[in-house]
Amino acid sequence: MERKINRMPSMWEDRFLTLMAVNDKLVLGGSIALHILNIIKYDFKNRTPDLDFSLIEALTEDELSVLIDFFNLSIQRSASDYNDTDGTPQPINISNVLERELILLETAIPMGIHLIEGEWDEYKEKYYKVDFFNKDYLEKRDWFELDYFGTPIKLTHPSIIFAAKMKYATDNRVGKQYKHFQDIKNINWDNYFPIVKSIQPHYSIDALIKDKNGNHPYTLEKYKFDIGIADIVDINDKLPF
């Protein structure tokens, strides 16, 4: 069976590719990554995705500010961003935002735009959300490089995405629980196992150093997705690994 990656709708493709071009610490995850890998089919007609990113290391204040300003985004406020007495919005401190486990950004809504039918319908095509998972930073084994139609991008390993989705899908304290449960139900297992088999380590050789046996040491550079391996994996022979 030939397995091909999915191409995102151009509106979403332009957004995540540009974000990742501006900052190479971003690793695409969530339902969008699973859709690209053809592990789930995302219903763009009836759902609006967030752009979920993990990080390989912490963002700096300057880096977060550049993302906000360049893409005309704003920081979604938390309860602590409002005055305890009268509920008025307080100034947001970037350094405090960088201490959050989840950094939530959204398209900045211009002054005078109200969420009423006429104005919002005109504006909603420009609106999207970006999430940065800022608690645990990904190690080399947790992400891989994929050739996305000629552009190399970083994707979170599907097992890590599923671990998070399973947690959210089975925890009634979590918002949007239903959508995560549906994603888990809709996993294409015929594609999943060959896909993860195709994520392979790539090493470099240090030609200037030898060990006591005269061998040059190998260093793990990164993991890469090789769709050719996925094409030859027989699902009937390889469950689960």
Side-chain angles (χ1 to χ4, degrees), residues 3 5 16 18 29-30 47 51 59 68 74 108 114 137 148 152 156 168 173 183 192 213 219-220:
R3 297 176 176 87
I5 63 173
F16 79 75
T18 311
R47 292 176 61 181
L51 295 180
L59 295 173
I68 291 170
S74 62
H114 302 289
Y137 304 116
Y148 180 80
T156 306
Y168 301 147
R173 299 168 296 177
D183 285 344
Y192 177 80
N213 297 318
T219 302
L220 176 64

Side-chain angles (χ1 to χ4, degrees), residues 27-158:
V27 183
L28 186 63
S31 301
I32 294 300
L34 298 180
H35 176 81
I36 289 173
L37 292 170
N38 204 13
I39 292 174
I40 67 170
K41 293 291 187 183
Y42 195 90
D43 182 2
F44 290 95
K45 182 178 180 179
N46 296 307
R47 292 176 61 181
T48 300
D50 298 341
L51 295 180
D52 295 327
F53 291 100
S54 294
L55 301 167
I56 57 174
E57 60 182 87
L59 295 173
T60 66
E61 291 187 27
D62 286 343
E63 288 171 335
L64 182 56
S65 295
V66 165
L67 291 171
I68 291 170
D69 294 339
F70 186 85
F71 293 99
N72 190 33
L73 300 171
S74 62
I75 298 167
Q76 286 192 8
R77 292 180 174 272
S78 65
S80 61
D81 296 321
Y82 295 89
N83 185 281
D84 292 337
T85 304
D86 58 15
T88 56
Q90 301 299 297
I92 296 178
N93 188 310
I94 289 288
S95 62
N96 292 338
V97 172
L98 288 170
E99 295 177 359
R100 298 176 182 177
E101 293 185 4
L102 183 62
I103 300 173
L104 305 175
L105 306 180
E106 62 183 346
T107 305
I109 300 176
M111 295 294 292
I113 294 292
H114 302 289
L115 303 187
I116 58 177
E117 184 174 350
E119 291 178 311
W120 178 243
D121 286 347
E122 181 180 348
Y123 187 70
K124 66 181 179 182
E125 293 298 322
K126 304 175 184 178
Y127 180 84
Y128 63 101
K129 295 181 179 180
V130 183
D131 303 341
F132 299 123
F133 294 93
N134 193 45
K135 181 181 179 181
D136 299 309
Y137 304 116
L138 299 183
E139 300 178 9
K140 287 183 179 180
R141 65 180 182 177
D142 298 330
W143 63 270
F144 62 96
E145 183 181 283
L146 176 138
D147 183 350
Y148 180 80
F149 303 97
T151 301
I153 62 173
K154 299 183 182 74
L155 292 186
T156 306
H157 194 283

